Amino acid sequence: MVTFSLQASPSDAAGWIELARRAEAAGYDALLAADHPGAVAAPFVALAAAATATSSIGLGSYVSNAGVREPMLLAADVATLDLLSGGRARLGIGAGHTPAEWRAVGRERPDVAGRIRRAVAVIEATRALLDGDEVTVDTADLAVHGARLERPRPVQRRIPLTVGTANSALLRWAGAHADVVGLAGFGRTLADGHSHEVRWREAEIEAQLAQVAAGAEGRAEPPELEALVQQVVVTDDAEAAAAETAKETGLTVAELLATPFVLIGTEDEIVAAVATHRRRWGVTRYVVRRDALDALAPVLPRAAALT
């Protein structure tokens, strides 16, 4: 079964509640809130509000920055959301790439290896706290002393974990431990601290998936693969709609349309692309942005019915 989730952030209360209701009614699997402190609304506060207006849609961060989040506070936020939503919380987490977010909490962003060590340590500690364990960690990357999440306890026996990354080491770790591996195909962070080079060509995608597969070796159930979609356009001229993004990313139009990180074309062409991505890459989950809510609504039941 192929599923779609919607990533968004509130700008006003009424619009956010309406968005949550519309996403649930349209059949989106989850409503996901971005987590960039200082740039968007606090995700777990927003998701708790959405929980009061919905009954079945999943709710989660996409993705929390392990560099600036502490396990005790993150676990408490997730457990509270799970309690208030009746067991619909999800945890999405990544290593963090935006230098300004680190500086805002009084830290300097480490090198890549340091960010990955910190991410793994935070994920492991947060999951242990959600599982009810007492946690002590004392390393250069993370310090936690005798932490235990006594209340509130999550409703779910185990909170689903999505690890969002394009880093080889974290892809392998996610392959071994995550429920979902969130693929964005991002490369080097650019000078603005937010944008990225992309790794969207066939060989680059295969290299990322090989890391996930290596980590998942021996698992009874490998993680699901999820693509963060950067552009959705329903059109009868896919090549024209893709031209500008292809130019910006340095890909040919054909290369761009072949990736799971854009969905451009008629409804039939998008459904066909989703089927191809599942068969070729094993991608069965997609995260799309707010502006795709209505455009993709007719595609959702067709994608879910793919066999």
Side-chain angles (χ1 to χ4, degrees):
M1 181 175 173
V2 175
T3 64
F4 285 79
S5 295
L6 189 73
Q7 184 197 48
S9 186
S11 55
D12 66 89
W16 178 246
I17 295 303
E18 178 63 18
L19 179 74
R21 288 172 172 157
R22 287 171 59 201
E24 182 173 76
Y28 283 90
D29 184 60
L31 176 63
L32 305 173
D35 190 5
H36 294 290
V40 297
F44 295 103
V45 177
L47 293 165
T52 67
T54 57
S55 60
S56 60
I57 194 168
L59 302 162
S61 59
Y62 203 88
V63 290
S64 289
N65 179 350
V68 302
R69 297 293 186 189
E70 295 298 328
M72 187 74 259
L73 301 177
L74 187 56
D77 282 343
V78 175
T80 301
L81 176 61
D82 205 50
L83 176 72
L84 296 178
S85 66
R88 291 184 279 142
R90 301 179 185 182
L91 172 59
I93 195 162
H97 60 83
T98 307
E101 293 178 7
W102 296 72
R103 291 194 296 270
V105 297
R107 300 172 182 163
E108 284 302 315
R109 189 182 72 161
D111 61 12
V112 173
R115 295 201 299 275
I116 300 308
R117 289 195 306 270
R118 164 85 185 185
V120 169
V122 169
I123 296 167
E124 290 178 340
T126 302
R127 288 201 88 167
L129 289 165
L130 289 168
D131 289 343
D133 300 334
E134 182 175 301
V135 175
T136 293
V137 181
D138 193 357
T139 69
D141 304 300
L142 179 67
V144 178
H145 301 290
R148 184 183 290 276
L149 182 64
E150 296 182 2
R151 287 183 299 276
R153 295 300 307 149
V155 174
Q156 297 177 85
R157 185 187 64 82
R158 192 165 180 84
I159 302 291
L161 170 67
T162 296
V163 175
T165 188
N167 173 269
S168 294
L170 195 51
L171 284 168
R172 287 194 300 274
W173 189 92
H177 301 284
D179 300 296
V180 178
V181 178
L183 304 167
F186 287 157
R188 182 176 61 90
T189 303
L190 300 180
D192 65 4
H194 298 280
S195 304
H196 303 265
E197 295 177 346
V198 299
R199 297 171 180 165
W200 290 357
R201 291 183 172 89
E202 177 181 352
E204 293 168 325
I205 295 171
E206 289 181 350
Q208 293 167 64
L209 297 181
Q211 298 295 340
V212 177
E217 188 174 356
R219 282 185 64 169
E221 293 290 337
E224 296 183 79
L225 301 178
E226 183 169 76
L228 176 59
V229 179
Q230 300 297 326
Q231 185 180 17
V232 174
V233 183
V234 178
T235 175
D236 58 3
D237 191 348
E239 288 76 13
E244 184 61 29
T245 301
K247 181 180 179 181
E248 291 172 356
T249 56
L251 276 67
T252 67
V253 168
E255 287 174 331
L256 182 71
L257 293 176
T259 78
F261 305 113
V262 302
L263 294 173
I264 301 174
T266 64
E267 290 178 13
D268 287 344
E269 287 170 339
I270 290 174
V271 171
V274 167
T276 297
H277 299 330
R278 187 182 67 168
R279 183 173 60 252
R280 185 177 189 182
W281 311 118
V283 174
T284 58
R285 304 174 66 93
Y286 294 84
V287 176
V288 299
R289 303 284 169 58
R290 184 179 194 144
D291 59 2
L293 170 62
D294 294 323
L296 278 183
V299 171
L300 268 56
R302 297 179 62 186
L306 290 171
T307 58

